[in-house]
Amino acid sequence: MATRALVIGATGQDGALMVRELVKEGVEVFGGFRRGGAARLWRLKEMSLEDSIQLVELDLNDMHSLIEAMKISRPHEVYHLAGHSYVADSLRHPNVTMEANTIGTLNVLVAVGVAAPEARVFLASSSEAIGQSVAGAPVSETSLPAPRNPYGLAKLSVLHLGRIYRETQGLHVASGILFNHESPWKDRSFVTRKITVNLARLAIEGGPPMALGDLSAERDWGDAEEFVGAMRAIIRHDPPEDFIVSTGKLTSVRTFVECAARAAGFDPHFEGEGLAERCVDTESGLELAVVSPKYFRSNPTPALRGDCSRLEEAVGWRPTTSVEMLASRMIEEDKKRWIRGEHNV
């Protein structure tokens, strides 16, 4: 087992969860985070991890800082979990997304080759790199890629860069093609966390309903804590390979709202159609959610579900957390934050 690890992107959801699990294993963890990102340490603080790791400032666009981070940490494992993750933003600022996710990954791989060539490397790719499926069939590692936005294109480049450096430079690089994964530490701008934050608010303080986009949109939503376990299994698997990480099940936004609302103590009922659809608490009449055209994507990603059977065969990993369990855990944490007055994280 590794005794030292560098987690790039340690202040994000996946990074903080990875830090927590590595610390539990007794690994000496170095957390790489972007300069000026100290304000985003709330996840590490909430998990009581800030004193358990050594933080290292770095910049994905600064090769010197990445090489220095490798020299300081002397890692056996490198988890590259940083980058831009907002699909909608990638359409508005494609150059920023491509620079952070594509050039940033290239810089990480070069830095590993220079300063930590024996380290095992995990790269986070995305289902957005595949972009579509044939007749609704689950996608696998052999599905033809067809990204529909700059974010997906950048994550496809991450996958190919990993393969290039594995095959031509001899680095131990493995990638996870990650489907949507949620937790109480998801950024609140993502729809699942937006839902749980607002339902916690409505349960504790009441107020206006939240506004959502297409309630019929479906995603293969999994548990981020379980996905972090998959990442550790992937990086430690021999030989290094790329794997789909998913649940294989689709859940609509409407269903997630319903699950989360019940966990928050409401009895949700949907009424109306299209832009007039809304969700109301049957007992109190409180309006929980309405539909707004503002939140509809101009180029939506089709519903994709993944086939993670190769990962199960290789390392024995399979998802076990249901959407109901996930929504309930997220609601529980967001209600606690609201009571503590820390609901803005």
Side-chain angles (χ1 to χ4, degrees):
M1 187 186 75
T3 58
R4 292 185 304 278
L6 172 63
V7 179
I8 301 174
T11 61
Q13 169 192 252
D14 293 1
L17 289 170
M18 180 63 73
V19 168
R20 187 177 71 178
E21 295 309 307
L22 291 171
V23 168
K24 286 180 182 178
E25 290 181 352
V27 176
E28 183 181 5
V29 182
F30 294 80
F33 74 111
R34 181 173 50 83
R35 293 175 182 138
R40 298 185 61 81
L41 294 177
W42 68 269
R43 294 179 179 90
L44 295 174
K45 291 179 179 178
E46 193 169 89
M47 296 180 193
S48 301
L49 292 170
E50 67 269 33
D51 296 327
S52 300
I53 67 171
Q54 299 181 54
L55 290 170
V56 181
E57 287 191 352
L58 52 77
D59 186 333
L60 293 178
N61 296 318
D62 179 358
M63 180 69 71
H64 176 73
S65 73
L66 287 166
I67 291 175
E68 282 302 304
M70 300 295 168
K71 290 180 177 178
I72 291 170
S73 58
R74 298 178 294 117
H76 298 111
E77 294 178 345
V78 176
Y79 296 89
H80 177 31
L81 307 178
H84 285 233
S85 56
Y86 298 103
V87 172
D89 283 357
S90 78
L91 293 166
R92 292 189 290 267
H93 309 289
N95 56 322
V96 175
T97 298
M98 295 299 292
E99 184 175 18
N101 292 355
T102 300
I103 304 302
T105 298
L106 177 60
N107 289 339
V108 169
L109 290 170
V110 171
V112 169
V114 169
E118 301 303 316
R120 293 174 176 243
V121 181
F122 176 86
L123 301 179
S125 185
S126 167
S127 60
E128 292 281 347
I130 300 171
Q132 64 183 26
S133 63
V134 178
V139 298
S140 69
E141 292 83 358
T142 59
S143 296
L144 293 176
R148 297 168 59 90
N149 49 65
Y151 173 76
L153 180 60
K155 285 300 185 178
L156 178 59
S157 70
V158 167
L159 198 59
H160 284 299
L161 282 169
R163 290 171 180 168
I164 289 170
Y165 272 76
R166 181 168 67 222
E167 294 170 2
T168 67
Q169 304 299 311
L171 297 182
H172 190 291
V173 183
S175 298
I177 304 169
L178 307 172
F179 278 65
N180 298 70
H181 46 293
E182 322 301 301
S183 80
W185 295 280
K186 190 81 170 182
D187 194 286
R188 60 185 296 162
S189 60
F190 287 89
V191 67
T192 52
R193 181 84 198 292
K194 176 180 179 179
I195 289 168
T196 60
V197 166
N198 278 282
L199 285 171
R201 169 183 61 82
L202 288 162
I204 294 170
E205 294 187 358
M210 65 181 135
L212 299 171
D214 184 4
L215 296 181
S216 297
E218 294 180 309
R219 292 290 181 269
D220 183 338
W221 274 312
D223 180 355
E225 297 184 50
E226 289 190 333
F227 275 44
V228 162
M231 295 176 200
R232 298 200 314 284
I234 289 171
I235 202 174
R236 295 167 186 176
H237 173 68
D238 290 309
E241 297 181 68
D242 307 324
F243 292 99
I244 292 275
V245 186
S246 67
T247 72
K249 300 177 182 178
L250 288 174
T251 302
S252 68
V253 174
R254 184 181 295 105
T255 297
F256 193 90
V257 170
E258 182 177 11
C259 293
R262 293 191 184 282
F266 296 113
D267 182 16
H269 171 69
F270 291 89
E271 56 188 39
E273 297 181 355
L275 293 177
E277 186 173 6
R278 64 181 193 145
C279 180
V280 179
D281 176 39
T282 302
E283 294 184 5
S284 66
L286 181 66
E287 200 172 37
L288 304 178
V290 296
V291 175
S292 169
K294 175 182 177 181
Y295 297 107
F296 280 72
R297 286 187 184 177
S298 59
N299 184 33
T301 302
L304 283 179
R305 58 191 180 99
D307 176 4
C308 65
S309 57
R310 279 196 64 247
L311 181 58
E312 182 176 359
E313 292 171 5
V315 303
W317 182 90
R318 61 182 299 174
T320 61
T321 302
S322 67
V323 169
E324 291 83 0
M325 294 166 60
L326 178 59
S328 179
R329 193 163 73 238
M330 292 174 70
I331 283 289
E332 180 181 0
E333 290 299 324
D334 274 322
K335 288 178 77 172
K336 290 178 182 177
R337 292 179 183 127
W338 204 270
I339 292 170
R340 295 196 305 262
E342 299 172 358
H343 50 273
N344 290 322
V345 298

